[in-house]
Structure formats: structure tokens, C-alpha cells
């Protein structure tokens, strides 16, 4: 995870993590530690040799409170490239259903993780000329900060 989103900041420089940045890093780390995955989850790009990738989509507000704190839904897109069609779908299924079934979400420093729902079930979205399959799924993460 060290090479993730915040890797552009030099050591010793002031670093402020946003709820969105922390969510992306936390969801990837949690999936890697709790799901049966063949590779780690890249936060930079979908590896050409195959693997997993996650990125945030456009979030939207659910509720704003009098103290200006807010509840938002942040979509997280997971992409997978895998030579084995069955295994590629299994990996995304493990990730999506793990988070949807959690009763207690990991603790964050900048937000409270309230819930996660599957917005788009794991599915095949294409295939390369060399036969490598592409898959995707979207999880809607509800957070409060």
C-alpha cells in the first residue's frame, strides 16, 4: 500500500489524508487481508500481466447535518484481468460479497464506514486478443465525516 495514492508526497513532507484517499487504501488493504486473492490490489493501474485494480468513482451526498458533517456514498470500481475466466469472477465475487456481508467495518481515522452495497455484480466486460479476460464490479461505500 505504500506505493498507493499518497506516494507522490516526499518523506518528511506534510501529509493530510482525505476520507476518499483513506477509504481507497483501507478497502484495498482489507480485501487483501481477508479475501482469497491471487495478487495484491493496485491503486495505480490495472496490471498488463493480470491482476486487480481499484479506483474511486464520483461520490454523492446522502445527508448533510446541521454541524456540516455529511454522509456520502462513494463508489469503488474493481477491475480484474485474469487468464482463467472462472477465477477472475471468483476474485471479484469474494471482494464484493465480503464487504456487503460485513457487520462491522474497519476503523478509519478520517471517516466512519457505515455500510457497503454491491452496485454492480462481478461480470465479464471483455477479453484481450491473447485470451485474457476482463471483469469489473462496483461497490457503493457509505461513509460519514
Amino acid at each position: 500500500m505504500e506505493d498507493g495514492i499518497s506516494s507522490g508526497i516526499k518523506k518528511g513532507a506534510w501529509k493530510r489524508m482525505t476520507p476518499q484517499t483513506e477509504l481507497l487504501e483501507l478497502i484495498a488493504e482489507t480485501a487483501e487481508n481477508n479475501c482469497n486473492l491471487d495478487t495484491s490490489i493496485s491503486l495505480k493501474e490495472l496490471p498488463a500481466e493480470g491482476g486487480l485494480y481499484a479506483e474511486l468513482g464520483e461520490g454523492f451526498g446522502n445527508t448533510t447535518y446541521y454541524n456540516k458533517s455529511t454522509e456520502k456514498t462513494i463508489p469503488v470500481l474493481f477491475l480484474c484481468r485474469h487468464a482463467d475466466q472462472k477465477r477472475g469472477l471468483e476474485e471479484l465475487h469474494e471482494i464484493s460479497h465480503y464487504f456487503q456481508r460485513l457487520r462491522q467495518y474497519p476503523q478509519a481515522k478520517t471517516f466512519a464506514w457505515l455500510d457497503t452495497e454491491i452496485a454492480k455484480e462481478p461480470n465479464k466486460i471483455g477479453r484481450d486478443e491473447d485470451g485474457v479476460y476482463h471483469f469489473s464490479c462496483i461497490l457503493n461505500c457509505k461513509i460519514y465525516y
Side-chain angles (χ1 to χ4, degrees):
M1 284 297 121
E2 207 59 36
D3 294 330
I5 292 174
S6 57
S7 66
I9 298 173
K10 294 179 182 173
K11 288 186 178 185
W14 180 76
K15 177 179 166 183
R16 179 176 181 260
M17 184 169 295
T18 66
Q20 292 83 356
T21 301
E22 186 178 12
L23 172 64
L24 185 57
E25 291 181 356
L26 187 57
I27 199 168
E29 179 183 336
T30 303
E32 290 172 0
N33 292 335
N34 295 286
C35 299
N36 180 22
L37 306 177
D38 296 344
T39 64
S40 61
I41 299 170
S42 172
L43 302 179
K44 291 182 176 182
E45 61 184 22
L46 183 60
E49 66 277 2
L52 295 162
Y53 167 75
E55 71 178 35
L56 296 181
E58 184 176 341
F60 51 92
N62 299 336
T63 305
T64 301
Y65 299 95
Y66 290 114
N67 66 357
K68 298 299 182 180
S69 58
T70 185
E71 185 180 294
K72 295 190 182 249
T73 298
I74 310 289
V76 180
L77 168 67
F78 284 91
L79 297 174
C80 176
R81 291 188 77 210
H82 209 292
D84 181 352
Q85 183 174 14
K86 181 180 175 196
R87 183 64 188 137
L89 281 172
E90 286 172 350
E91 283 190 296
L92 290 185
H93 174 83
E94 276 215 33
I95 292 169
S96 60
H97 288 270
Y98 172 79
F99 285 107
Q100 181 167 288
R101 292 193 170 119
L102 267 182
R103 295 189 187 273
Q104 185 170 357
Y105 290 90
Q107 293 292 314
K109 294 177 183 171
T110 60
F111 67 91
W113 194 341
L114 304 175
D115 194 21
T116 298
E117 295 178 347
I118 299 171
K120 181 179 158 210
E121 286 284 339
N123 65 95
K124 183 176 113 178
I125 57 172
R127 187 173 181 187
D128 288 339
E129 291 176 8
D130 62 358
V132 177
Y133 295 94
H134 292 247
F135 308 93
S136 74
C137 71
I138 299 174
L139 301 179
N140 279 344
C141 299
K142 189 182 294 184
I143 64 172
Y144 170 83
Y145 62 94

